[in-house]
Amino acid sequence: MLFFAVNVSAQQISTADLQVTGLTCSMCSNATQKSLETLGFISSVKPDLNKNIFVLTFKKDANVNLDLVRKKVQDAGFSVGGLTANFNFNDVKVDDKGQAVVNGNVYRFVNVKGKTLTGTVKASVVDKDFISGSAFKKQAATANSDAYASGTGVVNGKKTRIYHLVLS
Amino acid sequence: MLALMMIGAYTSVSAQELYVFTEPASNMPTKSIGVRITNEGMFNYPGYVSRTIPEVMIGFNKNLMMHAQAFLSDMDGKYRLEGGSLYAKYRFLSMDEAHSHFRASAFGRVSTSRRPTYTRDINLEGDNSGVQGGLIFTQLLHKLALSSTLGYAHAFENSDRQIAGMPQPKNMLSYSLSSGYLVLPVVYKDYKQPNFNVYLELLGKTDPGSGQSYLDIAPAVQMILNSTTRIDFGYRFQAAGNMDNRYTKNMYLLRAEFNFFNVLK
């Protein structure tokens, strides 16, 4: 029981590399940075202005919402071209369909099935608006998840956000 | 057109779309405010005249933004407030890829001016009262950022201030093609580094009633300081055309813009 409690409060996503597309000037990057900094669960945003990548560090034990990260980039007028995050998994079981439920967050792995994941796991979000439009179309053609097109599905009788991940 | 293509082909740096004489299809960030002060002037009006345009811009959400402008000039004698304008832009299409994007927006403008009319030309940024609607398409293709604007303006009747014997403006078709590129920095270090951008725009108008047209070539330079402040300097030369007493002919433009990101709740 104690172990379970520790597991729940453990930080789930520690850092992420966020690739933003369409940034053509430092003013655009600055606007994106300022938009991201309004999120309470982010502790720091470090830009690579030449590669248009923002390295996000999340607050310890904070509930990280990747959809809000995407929304803040879109609010600034740009798009997410890629998001690769470091997930801290503790004995997370990925079922035969590639699905894992961690602290209420539902993940579906595109390239992992029937495996237990432990430690820091690097994975990219491949849902709509987390990759380019053309990459999403390509992925959708081969995705074997019924939740891929909408990003939501029914889990335990409830409509739930399902993030689709590709393990690096 | 060829010149614009050449710039695109030979530059080894990024493209830019913060155009000086036109607006890109892209919008300003959500919940941000921009403040501009623009000075435009002509040296042969026949003498020197200038117009000052204070302007506030607001980004309501990722797709909708608005500008409010006031116009002050000495074109009819003493410097005075001559009118104002509201401009709204809605982005309805975004196709973003890693190194390219295509965006499309629709815009509308309503303007008022107490200047008398004495030409068929219509300029809703100071000289006429009227409405305008149009479309903007912006394409970023690796190093080349091209933007095209198509607009249609209708001038309100101005019988009170109509000068006898002068033409009455009715409608005006406007079109433009803009290109810009980033010269400096070659390698980014931080947000404090100044950016230096160069632009070349083609600005045209046609009066559908008379068939009269003109086309301007407008080069401009731009500095971005501290990733928040923008300084523009440009000049538009008439390259071709036959519209009598047209507005904004051979005119310079000097502008400072200050951006305040995420200030609205």
Side-chain angles (χ1 to χ4, degrees), chain A residues 24 26 33 50 75 77 79 134, chain B residues 16 30 96-97 103 188 191:
Chain A
T24 57
S26 66
Q33 166 126 9
N50 296 301
D75 278 350
S79 298
S134 57
Chain B
Q16 239 357 304
T30 302
D96 292 1
E97 295 291 334
R103 288 157 175 208
Y188 277 111
Y191 288 126

Side-chain angles (χ1 to χ4, degrees), chain B residues 77-194:
Chain B
K78 277 194 174 155
Y79 227 87
R80 60 164 189 170
L81 178 71
E82 56 192 8
S85 182
L86 287 174
Y87 172 97
K89 183 168 67 176
Y90 184 79
R91 177 168 61 136
F92 62 86
L93 184 70
S94 299
M95 291 157 70
D96 292 1
E97 295 291 334
H99 299 291
S100 66
H101 65 231
F102 179 70
R103 288 157 175 208
S105 291
F107 70 92
R109 179 189 285 282
V110 56
S111 300
T112 173
S113 172
R114 52 180 188 164
R115 294 205 68 203
T117 52
Y118 51 87
T119 167
R120 297 193 72 94
D121 194 8
I122 295 175
N123 173 30
L124 294 181
E125 287 187 84
D127 294 306
N128 295 89
S129 300
V131 289
Q132 186 188 28
L135 294 170
I136 308 170
F137 303 97
T138 301
Q139 171 79 63
L140 177 73
L141 249 178
H142 296 265
K143 314 288 185 203
L144 179 67
L146 278 180
S147 186
S148 177
T149 307
L150 288 169
Y152 196 81
H154 175 72
F156 296 143
E157 282 209 21
N158 191 12
S159 40
D160 299 351
R161 292 184 292 279
Q162 182 69 36
I163 296 172
M166 288 293 182
Q168 262 186 309
K170 288 200 172 58
N171 300 307
M172 185 63 69
L173 188 67
S174 60
Y175 37 89
S176 67
L177 186 64
S178 305
S179 169
Y181 70 97
L182 179 86
V183 179
L184 291 170
V186 177
V187 178
Y188 277 111
K189 287 192 194 79
D190 56 52
Y191 288 126
K192 300 232 183 296
Q193 247 176 331

